[in-house]
Amino acid sequence: MTLSNDPRTRRRRLGVAAACTGLLAALLAAVPAAATPDPGDAPAVEREVSGSARAGAAAAIADGDIPGQDEIVHSANIEHLTNVPKDALSGTNSDLAFQGKYAFAGNYDGFRIFDISDPKSPKTVSQVLCPGSQNDISVSGDLLFLSTDSSRSDSSCNSTTQPATEKSSWEGMKVFDISDKKNPKYVAAVETACGSHTHSLVPERKNVYIYVSSYSPSAAYPDCQPPHDGISVIKVPRKAPETAAVVDFPVLFPGEGPDGGGNPGSPTNPGVSKTTGCHDITVLPEKDLAAGACMGDGILFSIKDPEHPKVIDQVQDNVNFAFWHSATFNQKANKVVFTDELGGGGAATCNAAIGPNRGADGIYDIVGKGDKRKLVFRSYYKIPRHQADTENCVAHNGSLIPVKGKDLMVQAWYQGGVSVWDFTDSSAPKEIAYFERGPLSTTALSVGGAWSAYYYNGYIYSNDIAKGFDVLKLSDRRTDPAKRIHLRELNVQTQPDYFD
């Protein structure tokens, strides 16, 4: 593996032969957003690509348009400090959470705890085997939470896969006691309708509320019935987490009929996902606000009463958004960045065939006050480097970089790598730094790349689906003030007030 300290100029040119373009267009038309957008419970399988796509990837590498296979390139203001490969947990790496000197890394096989006291040399503290996609992870005090969004035989960490059509199958939230980081203890399980693809914490002194995002119901699933147009709210008493339970299921998309009131998707809106729940929610407790990325809809809602969230505004983009995936507020809470996971995270969408406005971020200003606030679209942002048609690439998980007076964000783009960008001007976002590897394969489409990329206490941490845990150091006058901000805990979907 080659580390390039000389940032290679990446021209926005990549061969997109007509046959390849047609193949990709057919793929995205057939599956605008898969039922499970992120890689599934089983190991990722390579997909063959056309001969022209293989030739295009080889030519692009030879011409210097993209890095070589597994080669690392980055902008001059980013340093790759280290990579920690997978170890006991060989499944798909997923999300990250942080607390003090620890990083918690989700994996479809369980989770791993790192000591990041020395960011140049993270040390594994423990690894917990507890299979169940996608093991979205968060922490609060002595508690750790895992999302299970695959049908299991039971709620134990020894469970096996079992069809969702069987009533006895289990999906939902798992709760661990992490007071001893070397020996986490499984203390509670809460089954939720349609499982838990992701979750977001609303922490209080005595209790932790969990907003559970899940979707894709079916009349054939006993525990996941349509219309499923809301979220599960779980209450976890800190002193008695074993009593955790669902306390409400607020309907976010009220409407008559079996489909509720969300986006109807195709064929009414071709290429757009039908809204049957939410994919991810980001809460801003200090502002009593939350933003939901809900398949075919983006929503803004009030969480003044955390057990009963209330929708303030609902927006759609039936031209360029296929699957509303995640959301990020700016610090002033007058903007939201929504991501579109076009192609479900398993397709090559960072190329000329797709263009700059699809599989991108949508930047929305929040205008007005109180319950009359509205989301107003301003622009799209997408990484300015084309990727090979053998690389899955689309907008994915990221976080703010806390600098007063600026709106800066670091974000993962699967095999598109990690991008640092500025959206202070909502209408003119721009990239200021990047890090990426070359394709996993030049002959087949292999799922990999950065799942999450988050800024925490002076460094960028990224969980690469295939390659492991990366640590990056960003040195730039525009972002350096953020190094003065130190948090005791960070769950990116529970955004802190960085300057309090």
Side-chain angles (χ1 to χ4, degrees):
M1 185 176 292
T2 302
L3 175 63
S4 171
N5 291 313
D6 180 18
R8 179 182 300 178
T9 300
R10 296 281 309 281
R11 298 187 293 279
R12 290 203 59 164
R13 181 175 65 81
L14 188 61
V16 285
C20 176
T21 301
L23 173 67
L24 183 61
L27 169 67
L28 293 176
V31 189
T36 301
D38 301 306
D41 200 21
V45 178
E46 289 190 346
R47 296 202 303 272
E48 291 297 322
V49 296
S50 68
S52 58
R54 293 194 295 270
I61 291 172
D63 291 346
D65 293 335
I66 65 173
Q69 188 169 351
D70 285 339
E71 179 189 3
I72 289 178
V73 297
H74 52 81
S75 54
N77 53 359
I78 277 188
E79 179 184 358
H80 185 214
L81 297 183
T82 192
N83 169 265
V84 183
K86 294 180 186 179
D87 189 25
L89 306 177
S90 61
T92 296
N93 276 339
S94 58
D95 213 2
L96 295 168
F98 304 90
Q99 187 181 82
K101 65 177 184 178
Y102 299 103
F104 304 82
N107 179 286
Y108 277 41
D109 287 336
F111 64 93
R112 187 174 184 179
I113 302 178
F114 292 99
D115 183 333
I116 54 173
S117 299
D118 179 1
K120 293 182 179 179
S121 183
K123 305 297 183 185
T124 298
V125 177
S126 60
Q127 300 185 71
V128 175
L129 179 64
C130 196
S133 69
Q134 58 184 8
N135 279 340
D136 187 53
I137 192 167
S138 60
V139 294
S140 184
D142 288 336
L143 300 177
L144 179 146
F145 306 92
L146 278 185
S147 284
T148 300
D149 193 35
S150 58
S151 187
R152 312 294 298 180
S153 56
D154 56 53
S155 63
S156 76
C157 287
N158 298 316
S159 67
T160 57
T161 58
Q162 183 168 290
T165 52
E166 294 189 21
K167 176 63 179 172
S168 63
S169 295
W170 185 92
E171 299 180 61
M173 290 299 308
K174 295 170 182 170
V175 184
F176 290 79
D177 182 327
I178 53 168
S179 53
D180 180 357
K181 304 296 187 295
K182 294 182 179 179
N183 186 31
K185 296 179 180 179
Y186 186 9
V187 297
V190 181
E191 187 171 13
T192 55
C194 301
S196 174
H197 195 70
T198 66
H199 67 270
S200 309
L201 304 185
V202 184
E204 295 185 335
R205 184 170 297 179
K206 293 182 178 181
N207 305 298
V208 179
Y209 288 97
I210 307 175
Y211 291 167
V212 177
S213 295
S214 56
Y215 52 93
S216 292
S218 169
Y221 301 159
D223 298 319
C224 184
Q225 293 285 298
H228 191 72
D229 47 10
I231 58 174
S232 297
V233 179
I234 297 174
K235 182 179 180 180
V236 186
R238 291 188 186 275
K239 293 186 177 180
E242 67 279 1
T243 65
V246 174
V247 293
D248 196 16
F249 186 86
V251 174
L252 302 179
F253 303 98
E256 296 182 1
D259 297 327
N263 197 317
S266 299
T268 303
N269 296 315
V272 177
S273 292
K274 175 182 176 180
T275 298
T276 59
C278 290
H279 177 276
D280 207 357
I281 292 169
T282 293
V283 301
L284 199 58
E286 288 77 10
K287 303 289 187 181
D288 290 328
L289 274 180
C294 303
M295 305 182 71
D297 295 87
I299 59 173
L300 183 70
F301 54 102
S302 167
I303 58 170
K304 287 181 180 179
D305 180 351
E307 288 192 24
H308 307 287
K310 173 185 175 183
V311 174
I312 296 173
D313 195 25
Q314 174 182 352
V315 291
Q316 297 177 357
D317 179 347
N318 294 315
V319 175
N320 288 315
F321 261 48
F323 189 97
W324 296 66
H325 176 277
S326 52
T328 302
F329 287 100
N330 68 337
Q331 180 60 35
K332 291 183 178 180
N334 60 8
K335 299 176 188 176
V336 182
V337 174
F338 288 103
T339 66
D340 172 27
E341 196 182 45
L342 173 69
T349 71
C350 296
N351 53 28
I354 298 300
N357 296 337
R358 299 177 65 211
D361 296 316
I363 304 167
Y364 286 74
D365 284 353
I366 302 174
V367 300
K369 296 182 179 180
D371 289 351
K372 294 184 178 181
R373 283 172 284 191
K374 297 291 183 182
L375 293 164
V376 179
F377 174 77
R378 295 303 186 202
S379 66
Y380 298 105
Y381 170 77
K382 193 171 185 179
I383 55 172
R385 293 171 306 286
H386 289 151
Q387 306 297 309
D389 288 327
T390 59
E391 294 180 279
N392 63 306
C393 175
V394 76
H396 213 237
N397 293 354
S399 76
L400 290 184
I401 298 177
V403 174
K404 279 189 174 181
K406 297 289 184 180
D407 294 325
L408 307 174
M409 186 172 175
V410 59
Q411 187 175 7
W413 289 77
Y414 288 119
Q415 286 193 71
V418 174
S419 177
V420 179
W421 57 290
D422 184 334
F423 63 104
T424 306
D425 181 347
S426 303
S427 299
K430 59 184 179 181
E431 184 174 77
I432 61 176
Y434 74 89
F435 166 89
E436 70 166 298
R437 290 181 170 90
L440 287 171
S441 171
T442 58
T443 59
L445 199 158
S446 299
V447 173
W451 178 293
S452 300
Y454 298 146
Y455 187 91
Y456 177 69
N457 292 353
Y459 296 87
I460 293 170
Y461 298 90
S462 174
N463 215 15
D464 187 289
I465 288 171
K467 296 296 184 181
F469 184 67
D470 287 307
V471 185
L472 309 175
K473 183 179 180 181
L474 178 63
S475 299
D476 189 289
R477 60 179 177 77
R478 294 164 290 188
T479 61
D480 285 346
K483 295 177 182 179
R484 296 193 292 266
I485 305 297
H486 278 256
L487 304 176
R488 292 190 296 269
E489 192 170 270
L490 177 63
N491 302 296
V492 170
Q493 287 72 33
T494 305
Q495 283 190 221
D497 183 345
Y498 287 98
F499 305 113
D500 182 4

